[in-house]
Amino acid sequence: MNQTPALYELMGAYFHQDWALDAADEWTVVDSFVDGEPDLAPLLPAEVEWALTHFTSETDLKRYILDDLGAGYLADWNGTTYREWLTQIADRVRKATA
């Protein structure tokens, strides 16, 4: 059973390997997810919290995001951790769906 269907959809379908060809930046991708997935978007902040609690090391969290969920975005290319990036995403989605 997939514990994180909203996070799975965001990472695999929106942050696919060619995401940069479709969007100006990563925040445009997140906003597109919120607009395009009105049923899933409100679930995302809690799923991010689950992932952050479940994967305590940065290595395990990165592996989950890239390998298990299929994301093509490398959060650490500019010095951001996956934990920080996911927290920022959750905050943005929470505000957009409030």
Side-chain angles (χ1 to χ4, degrees):
M1 179 177 164
N2 183 359
Q3 295 288 329
T4 58
L7 192 56
Y8 180 81
E9 183 70 13
L10 175 63
M11 294 303 154
Y14 286 80
F15 278 111
H16 54 76
Q17 69 182 24
D18 293 326
W19 71 269
L21 298 175
D22 298 332
D25 59 29
E26 67 271 25
W27 305 115
T28 303
V29 174
V30 174
D31 294 344
S32 294
F33 169 77
V34 169
D35 292 341
E37 306 294 340
D39 293 334
L40 287 176
L43 305 175
L44 188 85
E47 292 182 12
V48 166
E49 290 303 318
W50 178 89
L52 296 178
T53 301
H54 191 76
F55 300 99
T56 56
S57 78
E58 183 69 7
T59 301
D60 290 343
L61 185 59
K62 180 178 180 177
R63 186 176 303 121
Y64 177 64
I65 297 300
L66 297 179
D67 296 342
D68 295 349
L69 300 182
Y73 179 81
L74 301 175
D76 53 0
W77 73 271
N78 65 356
T80 301
T81 66
Y82 281 85
R83 185 167 300 280
E84 292 166 336
W85 181 59
L86 288 173
T87 299
Q88 292 169 354
I89 289 172
D91 290 344
R92 188 177 187 101
V93 171
R94 190 177 292 110
K95 288 176 187 170
T97 58

